[in-house]
């Protein structure tokens, strides 16, 4: 017994000692003040010293008229203001036949913050389609001065334009091309024409230069021998904190945060410190970041980078490295950062056995790193072509077998599809070759090489046994999808950088990771700090006597973080109003009814908003000063779902509506035109069905949340068909439906016939079937565009997005009305400080903040998370391309919203019941609609009585 107590006492003592040690370690931390970063004023690009220079004064015409130059513009004389939509033309004399690279000297004018987009033609021949324009980037920088803090955590610096003259080469506009544009020009005069598509700029000159490829390092090094003797061989002469960039090509390249390593500086175990740059934000070919640094004396130096690249498994991320605007030698055109866990040190050239040495003179220098695909660019293009051909063979096969072939039938495919086996043999051989190339490139097999090898083996089986193809068709197309997914990931080249150093050839290589003791201390401090710090908190510092409001975000964590950053950067500093931000989803109504609701709720689903408005829990917004001016920034229909009894209770965040997507290549092969009307849809449907192809129409299976909160607009096609037939779902008094009118019955029959007579699928993946070609025509939310653009690269250029089909009118026009859904922002009536809540709402719904929110959310989530702000000016400033905006606006102008009424959830449910009765039970469409319409009107009447609505 005594021994037991001794053991317990010893254990307790050890535990107490351990806790004391942990507490001592945790609370003994003293943050080292970060060294002040050197600030460099942004400088204009130097004027060209060689090449063929054609100044603005040599522009022959602007929009077919004589050019009018500005006497002075941003410090330069005789420049041209090139406005969006204008065409500028030069006549340039070329002295000899050769290839030439094209550059421009330009000053981006203030606009939406997007890159300049333009079309380019030489001697009347367009070098790119309007859908894929050429681009010239802007230059961005962090706002100067020390970082602001909130609760002791660093706030990300605001990004602003550098406002300098730039000189940029025109890059190839092709999606997977990673090179500068090269034009073959003969001796003599050539006409170069630019057509502005997006944004405006001042133009100073056009520059044509023969391409000069950098010499190999061996030649460069041979000229360095005298310089090597004078360098400070064992010293690190410059250390650059990567988060302190000089300039960058994109406002999304903001500094980031790492809390995993005590060697990442500046460091704090529990607080947020801005200490790295890049990661997933810095991954698109052409994006660049530059830094400036000082060199104490002339000499040859090595350049090292502390980096993390843990995203591309079994692959590398590539950067092109410039020193003072030039690539010093060939090897720096393609520097690979291999995939490894944790932080690593890369000295440029160390993979060759000895780091490269770069000659630098005493003084200030600029280092620029640009995302590049390098030799992966042509490889990915080749594999993308393979995927397209594999999908094409799949489509030809299902035209014979259907999507679900009979496993016991011999389709005799080698005879039914001419050239099938030779095509499969060619693809098999190419995939084996590409798999070997990729393995050699990476030094090991990765997901891409394995996917290529797996598919090549599968084609071997198809070639040996053509009768086995139908049985293995599903496995085949899934493997093709896997290969395409690899292409998507391989196109992006993420890299996170903590520090860059410049050192002598014999300088000691710094540690990449902390040692065991440092890591242990870091983990102890982080663990102890976790009891006091909430890293997921979106709160703010409260100041005594200050105004504070509470905002709930009814979306995801990414959205909530972006909202909080914008508030800290732009709202609280401007107004002095503190904001508590909480991420609360699917609990708004419950919270409000319990008396625990917010002052403002963002991203409120329309059903939730109107549930609260009907019960008197929301503040009417149309009585507040400035509402009418705000309303003018939106489409006329945008506020319809948020009106009740003469008042408006919400401001829309987003409107989501239908668009039509079609495969140009497939329709062309079948001799079909894309449908403009529903009659056209009916005409092409038999042709598609005869080839085992389908048309995809929107239909969603209903659950309680959709019934109650989302509204009926985009759950199915019926509301759009109804309004295209000239009637609304509800009466003008909002006291009953109009489903008893003949036009409604006509629209309902059209809707049900699509599924009853033509057997269109109800439940399907629009993305998957459109991508593979099973559904060459799909009507879906515009968000499908983002998914296809990002995740279906193999069909790029072979599909389009256009407004939905409609009904032809007597005057020849087509009524293409689409219903919609969306979210909104609301103010609760329980908010104690209504004035501050409205100030916040006005700020949040302004064009500037909505556009910034859309851009920053896309920086966080990628292109697939691109949204369409309901604010029209914010939409114009968003990252949607000019052609995309034009197409979306064409449909958006014909969007009509369905009102939300007391009991309108029953409309959605009952219409679905009527639809199912016709499609699954073959009931008469008119009788089914009339029966359920009666139930809807009775429910609306009951709810109007319950809530005391005026009659």
């Amino acid at each position: 017994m005594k021994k037991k107590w001794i053991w317990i006492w010893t254990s307790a003592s050890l535990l107490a000692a351990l806790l004391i040690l942990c507490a001592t370690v945790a609370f003994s931390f003293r943050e080292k003040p970060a060294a002040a970063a050197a600030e460099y004023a942004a400088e204009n690009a130097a004027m060209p010293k060689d090449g063929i220079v054609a100044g603005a004064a040599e522009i022959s015409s602007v929009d077919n008229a004589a050019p009018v130059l500005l006497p002075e513009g941003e410090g330069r004389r005789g420049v041209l203001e090139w406005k969006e939509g204008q065409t500028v033309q030069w006549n340039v004399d070329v002295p000899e036949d050769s290839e030439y690279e094209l550059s421009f000297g330009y000053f981006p004018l203030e606009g939406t913050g997007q890159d300049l987009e333009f079309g380019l033609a030489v001697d009347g021949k367009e070098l790119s389609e309007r859908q894929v324009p050429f681009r010239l980037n802007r230059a961005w920088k962090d706002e100067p001065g020390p970082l602001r803090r909130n609760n002791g955590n660093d706030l990300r610096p605001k990004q602003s334009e550098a406002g300098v003259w730039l000189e940029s080469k025109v890059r190839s506009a092709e999606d997977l091309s990673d090179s500068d544009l090269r034009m073959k020009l003969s001796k003599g005069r050539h006409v170069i024409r630019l057509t502005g598509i997006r944004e405006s700029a001042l133009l100073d000159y056009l520059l044509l230069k023969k391409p000069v490829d950098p010499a190999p390092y061996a030649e460069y090094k041979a000229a360095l021998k005298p310089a090597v003797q004078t360098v400070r061989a064992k010293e690190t002469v410059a250390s650059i904190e990567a988060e302190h960039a000089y300039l960058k090509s994109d406002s999304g390249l903001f500094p980031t945060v790492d809390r995993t390593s005590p060697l990442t500086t500046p460091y704090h175990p529990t607080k947020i410190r801005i200490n790295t740059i890049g990661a997933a934000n810095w991954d698109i070919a052409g994006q660049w970041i530059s830094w400036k640094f000082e060199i104490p004396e002339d000499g040859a130096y090595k350049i090292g980078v502390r980096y993390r690249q843990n995203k591309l498994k079994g692959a590398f991320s590539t950067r092109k490295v410039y020193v003072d605007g030039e690539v010093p030698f060939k090897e720096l055109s393609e520097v690979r950062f291999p995939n490894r866990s944790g932080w690593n040190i890369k000295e440029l050239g160390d993979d060759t056995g000895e780091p490269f040495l770069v000659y630098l003179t005493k003084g200030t220098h600029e280092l620029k790193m640009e995302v590049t695909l390098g030799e992966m660019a042509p490889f990915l293009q080749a594999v993308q072509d393979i995927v397209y051909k594999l999908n094409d063979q799949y489509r030809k096969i299902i035209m014979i077998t259907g999507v679900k072939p009979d496993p016991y039938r011999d389709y005799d495919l080698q005879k039914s599809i001419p050239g099938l086996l030779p095509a499969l043999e060619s693809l098999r051989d190419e995939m084996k070759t590409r798999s070997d190339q990729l393995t050699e490139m990476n030094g090991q097999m990765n997901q891409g090489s394995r996917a290529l090898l797996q598919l090549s083996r599968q084609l071997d089986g198809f070639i040996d046994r053509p009768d086995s193809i139908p049985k293995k068709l599903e496995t085949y197309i899934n493997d093709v999808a896997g290969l395409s997914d690899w292409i998507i990931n391989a196109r992006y080249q993420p890299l996170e950088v903590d520090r860059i150093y410049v050192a002598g050839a014999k300088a000691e290589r710094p540690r990449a990771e902390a040692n065991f003791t440092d890591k242990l201390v870091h983990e102890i401090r982080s663990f102890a700090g976790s009891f006091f710090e909430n890293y997921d908190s979106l709160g703010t510092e409260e100041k005594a006597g200050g105004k504070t409001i509470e905002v709930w975000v009814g979306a995801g964590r990414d959205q909530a973080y972006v909202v909080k950053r914008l508030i800290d950067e732009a709202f609280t500093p401007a107004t002095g109003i503190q904001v508590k931000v909480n991420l609360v989803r699917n609990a708004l109504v419950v919270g409000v009814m319990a008396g625990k609701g917010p002052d403002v709720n963002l991203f409120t689903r329309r059903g939730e908003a109107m549930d609260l408005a009907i019960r008197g829990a929301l503040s009417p917004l149309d009585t507040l000063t400035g509402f009418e001016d705000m309303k003018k920034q939106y489409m006329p229909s945008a506020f319809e779902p948020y009106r009740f009894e003469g008042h408006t209770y919400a401001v829309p965040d987003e409107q989501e509506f239908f668009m039509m997507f079609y495969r140009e290549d497939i329709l062309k092969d079948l001799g079909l035109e894309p449908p403009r009307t529903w009659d056209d849809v009916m005409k092409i449907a038999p042709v598609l069905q005869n080839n085992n192809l389908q048309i995809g129409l929107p239909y969603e299976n209903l659950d309680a949340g959709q019934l109650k909160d989302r509204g009926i607009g985009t759950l199915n096609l019926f509301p759009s068909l109804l309004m295209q037939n000239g009637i609304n779902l509800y009466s003008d008094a909002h006291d009953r439906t109009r489903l008893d009118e003949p036009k409604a019955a006509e629209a309902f029959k059209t809707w049900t016939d699509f599924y009853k007579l033509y057997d269109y699928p109800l439940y399907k993946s629009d993305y998957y079937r459109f991508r593979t070609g099973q559904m060459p025509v799909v009507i879906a939310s515009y968000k499908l565009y983002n998914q296809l653009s990002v995740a279906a690269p193999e069909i790029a250029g072979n599909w389009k997005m256009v407004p939905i089909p409609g009904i032809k009118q007597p005057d020849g026009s087509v009524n293409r009305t689409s219903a919609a859904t969306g979210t909104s922002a609301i103010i609760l009536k329980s908010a104690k400080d209504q004035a501050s809540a409205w100030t916040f709402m006005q700020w949040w719904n302004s064009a500037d903040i909505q556009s910034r929110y859309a851009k920053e959310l896309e920086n966080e989530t990628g292109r697939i998370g691109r949204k369409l702000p309901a604010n029209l000016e914010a939409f114009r400033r968003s990252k949607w391309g000019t052609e995309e905006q034009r197409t979306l606006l064409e449909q958006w102008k014909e969007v009509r919203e369905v009102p939300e009424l007391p009991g309108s959830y029953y409309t959605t449910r009952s219409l679905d019941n009527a639809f199912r009765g016709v499609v699954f039970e073959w009931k008469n469409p008119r009788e089914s609609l009339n029966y359920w319409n009666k139930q809807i009107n009775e429910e609306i009447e009951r709810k109007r009585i319950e809530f005391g609505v005026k009659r």
Side-chain angles (χ1 to χ4, degrees):
M1 187 71 177
K2 185 176 181 181
K3 289 183 178 180
K4 180 178 179 181
W5 281 107
I6 291 173
W7 182 86
I8 293 174
W9 184 87
T10 303
S11 299
S13 299
L14 288 173
L15 180 61
L18 180 61
L19 290 174
I20 292 171
L21 176 63
C22 290
T24 302
V25 170
F27 294 106
S28 65
F29 175 75
R30 295 292 180 269
E31 183 175 10
K32 297 178 182 178
E39 292 188 5
Y40 295 92
E43 297 178 354
N44 292 326
M47 296 294 291
K49 297 179 180 179
D50 54 5
I52 304 169
V53 181
E58 298 172 62
I59 292 174
S60 59
S61 68
V62 176
D63 290 339
N64 297 318
V68 178
L69 303 184
L70 300 177
E72 189 277 337
E74 299 297 338
R76 293 191 180 181
R77 296 184 177 183
V79 297
L80 177 76
E81 183 178 358
W82 181 30
K83 298 178 181 178
E84 184 176 304
Q86 280 187 332
T87 297
V88 177
Q89 184 169 295
W90 270 277
N91 294 330
V92 183
D93 292 318
V94 175
E96 59 180 305
D97 297 357
S98 182
E99 274 194 335
Y100 292 89
E101 292 177 335
L102 176 65
S103 303
F104 291 100
Y106 63 101
F107 185 101
L109 295 176
E110 185 176 350
T112 66
Q114 303 301 311
D115 288 346
L116 279 73
E117 296 180 359
F118 62 98
L120 174 63
V122 177
D123 297 329
K125 181 182 178 182
E126 295 289 342
L127 301 189
S128 175
E129 296 180 4
R130 186 176 175 87
Q131 290 85 351
V132 189
F134 292 98
R135 297 173 184 269
L136 294 173
N137 65 260
R138 296 171 180 266
W140 299 84
K141 62 179 182 179
D142 298 340
E143 65 177 353
L147 293 173
R148 290 178 293 161
R149 289 187 174 177
N150 181 22
N151 284 333
N153 297 313
D154 286 352
L155 297 179
R156 194 186 66 198
K158 183 179 178 181
Q159 305 299 295
S160 58
E161 281 202 64
V164 292
W165 283 93
L166 304 171
E167 182 185 299
S168 297
K169 289 181 181 178
V170 177
R171 295 171 58 88
S172 174
E174 294 179 16
D175 188 37
L176 276 177
S177 177
D178 192 39
S179 59
D180 298 323
L181 177 69
R182 292 188 175 184
M183 307 181 299
K184 289 185 177 179
L185 300 178
S186 59
K187 180 180 178 180
R189 174 160 291 192
H190 294 272
V191 178
I192 298 178
R193 187 180 72 242
L194 309 180
T195 301
I197 295 175
R198 189 172 194 178
E199 301 295 321
S200 302
L202 299 179
L203 286 179
D204 188 12
Y205 58 84
L206 170 155
L207 174 65
L208 290 174
K209 288 182 72 173
K210 293 181 182 179
V212 178
D213 294 323
Y217 177 64
E219 294 181 19
Y220 179 86
K221 183 180 178 182
L224 286 183
K225 288 185 178 178
V228 172
Q229 306 305 317
T230 62
V231 76
R232 301 181 182 186
K234 296 183 179 181
E235 295 182 26
T236 296
V237 297
S239 183
I240 311 160
E241 290 292 344
E243 64 271 16
H244 298 304
Y246 168 57
L247 292 175
K248 41 208 166 180
S249 63
D250 195 304
S251 60
L253 298 176
F254 43 75
T256 49
V257 176
D258 171 60
R259 290 200 300 265
T260 65
S261 171
L263 292 189
T264 306
T265 54
Y267 164 76
H268 197 287
T270 59
K271 298 292 185 180
I272 293 174
R273 292 291 175 263
I274 299 292
N275 52 12
T276 65
I277 196 168
N281 291 340
W282 190 28
D283 62 357
I284 299 174
Q287 289 182 322
W288 55 261
I289 303 174
S290 70
W291 299 266
K292 281 199 169 184
F293 57 95
E294 301 295 326
I295 292 297
E297 69 174 49
D298 296 358
Y301 299 88
K302 64 181 179 179
I303 299 173
V305 182
R306 184 171 186 259
Y307 78 96
R308 179 166 60 182
Q309 198 282 92
N310 54 6
K311 302 293 184 183
L312 298 177
K313 304 299 182 185
F316 48 82
S317 187
T318 312
R319 294 295 181 272
K320 181 184 286 188
V321 179
Y322 299 82
V323 178
D324 297 328
E326 300 290 339
V327 178
F329 41 86
K330 181 180 178 181
E331 286 77 0
L332 291 189
S333 297
E334 192 175 334
V335 178
R336 296 178 177 180
F337 292 84
N339 168 250
R340 291 180 184 141
S341 61
W343 287 94
N344 300 276
I345 295 293
K346 167 78 174 179
E347 292 186 338
L348 306 188
D350 57 5
D351 48 344
T352 65
E354 180 182 300
F356 297 139
L357 296 177
V358 179
Y359 182 72
L360 300 171
T361 58
K362 179 180 179 180
T364 304
H365 294 271
E366 182 181 358
L367 176 74
K368 183 169 82 172
M369 297 174 68
E370 180 183 290
V371 182
T372 179
L373 290 171
E375 64 178 326
M376 281 293 289
F379 182 87
L380 289 174
Q381 184 63 64
V383 177
Q384 189 166 288
D385 292 342
I386 289 173
V387 171
Y388 180 81
K389 292 174 184 176
L390 290 169
N391 275 325
D392 189 50
Q393 294 303 319
Y394 171 75
R395 179 168 54 85
K396 289 177 180 178
I397 292 170
I398 64 170
M399 283 181 173
I400 305 297
T401 67
V403 179
K404 295 183 178 179
D406 182 348
Y408 302 106
R409 178 181 170 186
D410 185 358
Y411 291 92
D412 213 7
L413 292 174
Q414 67 271 31
K415 294 181 180 178
S416 302
I417 305 173
L420 174 63
L421 295 185
L424 295 182
E425 289 171 359
S426 175
L427 286 168
R428 175 201 60 191
D429 295 343
E430 188 175 1
M431 284 191 290
K432 285 181 179 178
T433 301
R434 295 297 179 183
S435 177
D436 293 342
Q437 286 178 352
L438 187 58
T439 300
E440 183 180 355
M441 209 181 296
N442 287 287
Q444 60 179 326
M445 289 197 77
N446 64 8
Q447 180 188 350
S449 53
R450 283 190 290 269
L452 286 163
L453 193 59
Q454 168 69 18
L455 271 166
S456 68
R457 289 171 177 170
Q458 195 168 37
L459 292 191
D460 264 334
F462 287 176
I463 293 163
D464 291 341
R465 290 283 308 275
D467 60 308
S468 70
I469 294 176
K471 298 175 185 177
K472 299 177 180 179
L473 205 53
E474 185 174 355
T475 303
Y476 167 78
I477 196 60
N478 287 337
D479 288 345
V480 173
L483 179 58
S484 187
D485 289 342
W486 173 79
I487 295 174
I488 294 164
N489 294 328
R491 294 167 66 187
Y492 298 105
Q493 302 283 299
L495 183 71
E496 187 173 10
V497 180
D498 166 43
R499 187 171 63 255
I500 300 170
Y501 63 90
V502 182
K506 297 181 181 179
E508 185 177 348
R509 189 187 185 101
R511 285 189 298 162
E513 283 284 18
N515 58 33
F516 175 79
T517 304
D518 290 341
K519 284 184 177 180
L520 179 63
V521 170
H522 166 71
E523 294 298 335
I524 291 173
R525 286 171 172 165
S526 298
F527 174 73
S530 68
F531 292 96
F532 306 99
E533 293 284 337
N534 181 2
Y535 298 115
D536 293 330
S537 172
L538 301 174
T540 189
E541 291 179 304
E542 290 192 51
K543 297 182 180 179
K547 297 178 180 179
T548 302
I549 61 172
E550 184 170 358
V551 174
W552 285 8
V553 177
R557 189 164 297 276
D558 288 330
Q559 289 86 343
Y561 280 144
V562 174
V563 170
K564 177 58 179 168
R565 280 204 306 264
L566 289 173
I567 289 170
D568 290 339
E569 292 172 6
F571 179 71
T572 299
T575 64
I577 301 171
Q578 302 297 312
V579 181
K580 293 181 181 178
V581 180
N582 289 302
L583 176 58
V584 181
R585 288 179 287 181
N586 305 319
L588 175 63
V589 174
V590 174
V592 171
M593 293 305 153
K596 303 292 184 181
D599 298 315
V600 175
N601 194 81
L602 305 181
F603 311 111
T604 316
R605 291 171 293 185
R606 54 184 49 182
E608 286 182 317
M610 296 318 293
D611 271 352
L612 294 171
I614 290 166
R615 290 166 172 81
L618 300 188
S619 296
L621 304 181
D622 50 0
T623 61
L624 301 175
T625 303
F627 176 79
E628 291 302 322
D629 289 335
M630 178 190 293
K631 188 177 173 183
K632 295 174 184 176
Q633 301 176 46
Y634 296 80
M635 285 290 184
S637 65
F639 289 86
E640 183 62 35
Y642 310 110
R643 292 193 182 103
F644 180 67
E645 290 297 288
H647 288 293
T648 303
Y649 290 90
V651 179
D653 296 314
E654 181 179 18
Q655 280 185 284
E656 182 182 343
F657 48 85
F658 293 135
M659 299 294 292
M660 186 178 81
F661 302 83
Y662 69 92
R663 288 283 299 269
E664 285 186 293
D665 53 344
I666 298 176
L667 294 188
K668 183 179 179 181
D669 287 347
L670 296 174
L672 300 175
E673 293 292 328
R676 295 183 66 250
T677 67
W678 294 113
D679 288 340
D680 295 339
V681 172
M682 299 298 190
K683 288 176 183 176
I684 70 170
V687 179
L688 294 176
Q689 288 181 318
N690 287 339
N691 288 280
N692 288 313
L693 304 177
Q694 301 166 321
I695 294 175
L697 299 180
Y699 178 83
E700 291 191 31
N701 196 25
L702 300 182
D703 59 30
Q706 289 175 323
L707 279 171
K708 187 171 179 295
D709 295 331
R710 185 172 164 183
I712 194 174
T714 57
L715 292 178
N716 54 59
L717 196 59
F718 179 63
S720 300
L721 288 172
L722 193 66
M723 290 185 284
Q724 286 182 5
N725 275 274
I727 63 171
N728 295 322
L729 182 57
Y730 298 111
S731 67
D732 292 341
H734 292 177
D735 58 353
R736 63 177 182 84
T737 70
R738 296 180 60 183
L739 297 177
D740 53 357
E741 299 182 20
K743 286 280 188 180
E746 185 181 328
F748 185 74
K749 186 177 185 303
T750 300
W751 180 38
T752 54
D753 280 352
F754 287 136
Y755 303 94
K756 188 173 75 170
L757 299 183
Y758 293 95
D759 199 28
Y760 290 170
L762 281 172
Y763 310 111
K764 77 283 184 196
S765 167
D766 291 331
Y767 158 71
Y768 177 79
R769 295 199 182 188
F770 187 80
R771 176 185 185 177
T772 59
Q774 297 174 41
M775 280 184 175
V777 177
V778 168
I779 295 171
S781 162
Y782 72 83
K783 291 184 177 180
L784 179 61
Y785 184 90
N786 295 331
Q787 196 173 7
L788 293 171
S789 298
V790 172
E794 72 278 6
I795 61 171
N798 289 304
W799 60 275
K800 281 188 176 179
M801 174 179 70
V802 295
I804 65 173
I807 296 176
K808 195 168 184 178
Q809 304 300 298
D811 63 359
S813 63
V814 178
N815 182 344
R816 298 186 179 212
T817 299
S818 170
T821 187
T823 57
S824 64
I826 57 176
I827 297 177
L828 279 296
K829 187 171 281 188
S830 59
K832 294 179 181 179
D833 190 347
Q834 292 278 328
S836 293
W838 177 236
T839 299
F840 176 83
M841 284 276 280
Q842 289 178 296
W843 170 83
W844 169 248
N845 290 288
S846 66
D848 178 54
I849 297 303
Q850 282 292 298
S851 64
R852 284 180 60 184
Y853 170 76
K855 291 172 188 174
E856 296 199 13
L857 181 63
E858 187 170 339
N859 290 335
E860 294 285 343
T861 62
R863 169 69 185 272
I864 207 162
R866 179 174 293 178
K867 68 175 299 233
L868 189 151
N871 184 298
L872 291 171
E873 178 59 24
F875 170 65
R876 192 182 74 82
R877 300 182 190 181
S878 69
K879 290 189 174 183
W880 291 96
T882 305
E883 281 297 299
E884 298 163 351
Q885 288 192 6
R886 183 193 62 76
T887 303
L888 287 166
L889 275 171
E890 185 180 351
Q891 180 64 74
W892 201 355
K893 290 175 182 177
E894 296 199 60
V895 165
R896 285 170 61 188
E897 292 277 12
V898 178
E900 293 290 320
L901 312 182
S904 59
Y905 66 91
Y906 206 74
T907 306
T908 307
R909 177 189 299 166
S910 298
L911 280 173
D912 195 58
N913 289 337
F915 170 81
R916 288 172 173 272
V918 174
V919 174
F920 297 128
E921 300 174 24
W922 286 80
K923 291 182 179 179
N924 179 278
R926 185 181 296 273
E927 291 178 2
S928 183
L929 181 62
N930 287 340
Y931 172 81
W932 287 105
N933 181 47
K934 182 180 178 183
Q935 311 300 315
I936 295 169
N937 285 328
E938 288 176 356
E939 181 68 12
I940 291 174
E941 180 67 16
R942 280 194 295 270
K943 288 299 179 181
R944 286 173 65 84
I945 293 171
E946 178 183 342
F947 292 112
V949 180
K950 292 184 295 185
R951 302 188 62 183

